[in-house]
Amino acid sequence: EAQLVESGGGLVRPGGSLRLSCGASGFSMTTYAMTWVRQAPGRGLEWVANIKQDGSEKYYVDSVEGRFTISRDNARKSVYLQMNSLRAEDTAVYYCARILGVYTIDAFDIWGQGTTVTVSS
Amino acid sequence: IVMTQSPLSLSVIPGEPASISCRSSQSLLQNTGHTQLVWFLQRPGQSPQLLIYLGSNRASGVPDRFSGSGSGTDFTLKISRVEAEDVGIYYCMQALQTPITFGQGTRLDFK
């Protein structure tokens, strides 16, 4: 069974950094692009970043561009989100998800359980 | 691309049908001929779950009472007979271009 498990969330002060991890099991990670999506408390879903199967291309929502970096280690079956210069508005549950589709994004078909990031002094 | 859902809240009687609309600010037709529109359900306290992709394709394990339709900029998710496990928030999402964007969500509950 394909599964994703996020970790690395926690409480951090404004301006601080955090690195989220997402471990994959039950499928070959090299075949799939991956994504991070977040959900602020009581709010809807917001796409954060994508990374291609081989890590050659990365895309970000404007609000995190230059502060967040998505990366992956296919040998370790993991995807990461390095978050720097964190702001209160980055407070959210962060989900990683698998992207269905080879040359296009057809869906996010497998989601992790999420990890909570709280940015507060 | 701005995604607009309606209604934002929906109260239904169990066993009755339900319908949610999603409109995009530009066409979601890919040059492959596919429509890059996705539907998710987020049950209370859970992660989002894929329901429909490419506008009308049900994901694996999704009951056939769920159906997606539409083209261009106007899309609909229909539930033929709402059941208890269908309660939650429904989101549409466009996957045509980055930034990928979601609708505001439609909360479905029982009357």
Side-chain angles (χ1 to χ4, degrees), chain A residues 12-17 85-88 118-121:
Chain A
V12 61
R13 294 179 185 270
S17 298
S85 302
L86 282 161
R87 306 166 180 167
T118 303
V119 184
S120 175
S121 55

Side-chain angles (χ1 to χ4, degrees), chain B residues 9 11 17-18 22 24 33-34 37-38 40 43 47 53-54 60 65 72-73 76 79 86 88 105 108:
Chain B
S9 181
S11 292
C22 177
S24 58
H34 291 137
L37 189 282
V38 187
F40 299 97
R43 296 187 176 99
S47 304
Y53 65 99
L54 296 177
S60 175
R65 63 179 182 275
T73 62
T76 302
I79 311 172
D86 302 337
L108 183 147

Side-chain angles (χ1 to χ4, degrees), chain A residues 30-115:
Chain A
T30 56
T31 309
Y32 294 91
M34 300 292 292
T35 189
W36 287 94
V37 174
R38 66 185 179 183
Q39 186 170 34
R43 305 295 295 273
L45 301 171
E46 180 185 32
W47 171 76
V48 175
N50 282 356
I51 186 167
K52 289 277 192 177
Q53 289 86 334
D54 61 359
S56 60
E57 295 180 36
K58 305 173 185 181
Y59 304 90
Y60 301 91
V61 68
D62 283 351
S63 60
V64 309
E65 183 85 57
R67 300 188 299 122
F68 290 12
T69 302
I70 189 172
S71 63
R72 63 191 295 160
D73 184 338
N74 287 341
R76 295 183 181 270
K77 298 183 179 182
S78 293
V79 180
Y80 307 101
L81 188 67
Q82 177 67 43
M83 304 185 296
N84 298 332
S85 302
L86 282 161
R87 306 166 180 167
E89 54 265 36
D90 296 318
T91 294
V93 175
Y94 284 74
Y95 298 100
C96 74
R98 188 177 80 172
I99 294 176
L100 187 66
V102 178
Y103 301 109
T104 56
I105 298 171
D106 294 343
F108 301 161
D109 66 338
I110 305 293
W111 294 66
Q113 84 288 351
T115 187

